[in-house]
Amino acid sequence: MKILIIGANGTIGKKVAQALSSKHEIITAGRTSGDIQMDITSAQSIEAGFKQMGSLDACICTAGTGYYGKLDTMTEENVYSGIRNKLMGQINVVLIGQHYLNDNGSITLTSGILSEEPVRNSSCVAMLNGGINSFVLAASLELTRGIRINVVSPGLVEDSVERYGASFPGIDPVPMNKVVNAYIRSTEGAITGKILKVYA
């Protein structure tokens, strides 16, 4: 398969790209790195990236960030910045990308454990993750030509413990191979409309 991985230079995207590269043709994309440049906060950039690629068999998006911070100091702009990035960015990957996927292709998005098990300072990101999950459940009912869509919802991954571990007290890190396998299942399997939770 010809697979586009958006966010392929990130913690998760990097491992997913490595795992899939032995069997498939991988095209990497990132805001400033990769085979092609794609900024998911810009619909024009997403469209240009897909046009550059031509037809694809699958698209995986592990890109997207949102605001972490205290609720009593969070502003509307903090929230909108996350909506434009992690939520609307991934939604636009679907809205635009569906037209470049071959029949029976697949799209895999990324949310996270905070939608169900939030921690302090995560109100914004928890909302974004929940929105992505709900969008995937509904979009799976309407995609045509056999195109499938799923979302991987990882917990605190092993490779992010040093950076984010303090924000997840008492949470066991998830082995990277388990997270990667969820993306493989979504891409190579037959499931659609699933939230693939990898929390332990």
Side-chain angles (χ1 to χ4, degrees):
M1 290 192 290
K2 184 179 178 183
I3 304 172
L4 173 65
I5 301 179
I6 305 167
N9 199 43
T11 302
I12 294 175
K14 187 164 33 179
K15 293 293 178 71
V16 173
Q18 288 171 3
L20 289 170
S21 62
S22 63
K23 293 172 61 178
H24 306 287
E25 178 188 355
I26 303 299
I27 298 91
T28 60
R31 191 167 52 85
T32 58
S33 63
D35 300 319
I36 62 171
Q37 273 67 63
M38 187 183 286
D39 179 357
I40 66 168
T41 66
S42 164
Q44 291 77 15
S45 177
I46 294 170
E47 183 86 53
F50 276 111
K51 279 183 178 173
Q52 188 177 340
M53 290 303 315
S55 63
L56 291 165
D57 297 301
C59 173
I60 296 170
C61 184
T62 63
T65 61
Y67 176 77
Y68 281 87
K70 293 182 178 179
L71 187 67
D72 62 359
T73 56
M74 187 162 54
T75 66
E76 180 179 4
E77 182 50 39
N78 292 148
V79 176
Y80 275 126
S81 68
I83 290 173
R84 284 190 296 268
N85 194 310
K86 184 162 188 174
L87 181 59
M88 199 64 230
Q90 292 198 82
I91 289 173
N92 273 333
V93 166
V94 177
L95 298 181
I96 296 166
Q98 63 180 322
H99 303 297
Y100 293 89
L101 281 172
N102 293 327
D103 291 355
N104 303 310
S106 77
I107 302 171
T108 306
L109 303 184
T110 303
S111 60
I113 191 173
L114 296 174
S115 63
E116 294 187 77
E117 299 184 28
V119 296
R120 289 187 183 93
N121 301 324
S122 70
S123 296
C124 181
V125 177
M127 176 272 297
L128 301 174
N129 288 343
I132 294 163
N133 289 346
S134 294
F135 173 79
V136 166
L137 294 177
S140 69
L141 304 176
E142 297 189 64
L143 285 169
T144 60
R145 299 187 293 108
I147 294 173
R148 300 178 300 104
I149 184 169
N150 299 292
V151 54
V152 175
S153 178
L156 172 66
V157 300
E158 283 178 339
D159 291 8
S160 293
V161 169
E162 187 175 336
R163 185 174 177 186
Y164 295 115
S167 298
F168 292 83
I171 301 293
D172 291 327
V174 180
M176 288 302 296
N177 69 298
K178 282 193 170 185
V179 177
V180 169
N181 280 339
Y183 288 93
I184 292 173
R185 181 185 175 201
S186 175
T187 303
E188 296 183 349
I191 58 172
T192 192
K194 300 296 183 184
I195 302 168
L196 301 176
K197 300 173 185 179
V198 193
Y199 296 164

